[in-house]
Amino acid sequence: MTRFPRLAPEAMTPEQREAAAEISAGPRGEVRGPFLALIHNAELARRMQALGEHLRWGNKLPPPLLELAVLYTARQWNCQHEWYMHEKLARKAGLEPRIFGAIAAGREPEGMSADEALVYKACKQAHLTGRLDDETFTALSARFGLDGVLDLLVLNGYYSAMAMVLNTAGMPLPDNAAAPLDPL
């Protein structure tokens, strides 16, 4: 049972209906996932949707690297819902199952490409220290530009926020799926 009940359109305020229409008109196509909870604060939902849209569909990182970062974040927060949804997206993007399997187990994946290893290292530093060291920042900015560094950092923060919303909301996984992550 979720702590934030699903709102039927007739139960929404005009602001919530407007925010729901904006979310549904975007690439998500509907109010789902964390937005089922976020819609209870229409302005926050609207702003998070806009940020998320950029981070998911306007990010400078290629899709496999983006999904690696999302899965790293989901594992850090033990967010079953985020992991469940983004593991499918990672597979579709071409991220190798051995990589996200190691992340799910709490291990650093072996045999990553140079870009995968760099993104993994940056995510690890961002989550452990709240910053990137000089070596990682220099390598990341040389590879993806300063805008790419910001895309990756904010992606980690955005999905951390979404993990907190999802974990607190207590939404069941789609299709009554079993929790994909074991406790570390």
Side-chain angles (χ1 to χ4, degrees):
M1 176 66 90
T2 182
R3 292 175 168 176
F4 296 92
R6 182 184 292 259
L7 295 176
E10 60 274 7
M12 292 181 182
T13 66
E15 294 80 14
Q16 289 169 325
R17 279 193 295 279
E18 188 176 306
E22 287 178 23
I23 293 166
S24 297
R28 285 179 182 80
E30 64 181 331
V31 176
R32 58 184 159 94
F35 291 96
L36 293 169
L38 287 167
I39 200 69
H40 287 268
N41 181 328
E43 189 58 26
L44 180 60
R46 175 181 283 120
R47 291 173 186 266
M48 292 297 283
Q49 189 288 136
L51 177 59
E53 185 173 325
H54 167 76
L55 292 170
R56 282 276 313 280
W57 293 283
N59 198 306
K60 191 151 185 192
L61 298 174
L65 298 179
L66 184 150
E67 294 303 334
L68 187 155
V70 174
L71 291 175
Y72 186 95
T73 301
R75 175 72 272 185
Q76 289 301 296
W77 292 103
N78 198 38
C79 186
Q80 303 291 343
H81 199 283
E82 201 165 77
W83 185 277
Y84 179 83
M85 299 306 290
H86 283 272
E87 181 183 340
K88 292 177 186 179
L89 294 170
R91 287 178 190 279
K92 186 176 179 183
L95 187 65
E96 292 186 38
R98 66 178 175 75
I99 292 175
F100 55 80
I103 293 170
R107 295 187 323 269
E108 182 168 337
E110 295 179 4
M112 290 185 283
S113 70
D115 283 350
E116 290 165 343
L118 180 58
V119 167
Y120 181 91
K121 181 179 180 181
C123 291
K124 183 175 180 180
Q125 287 179 12
H127 282 279
L128 291 176
T129 68
R131 67 180 303 274
L132 303 180
D133 65 25
D134 290 340
E135 177 188 334
T136 304
F137 177 84
T138 299
L140 202 59
S141 61
R143 178 66 182 98
F144 297 107
L146 292 176
D147 53 343
V149 172
L150 290 168
D151 275 346
L152 180 59
L153 286 171
V154 175
L155 182 82
N156 278 270
Y158 174 84
Y159 279 98
S160 291
M162 290 306 204
M164 290 178 194
V165 169
L166 288 163
N167 286 345
T168 298
M171 284 187 269
L173 293 174
D175 305 319
N176 295 314
L181 295 173
D182 292 329
L184 290 180

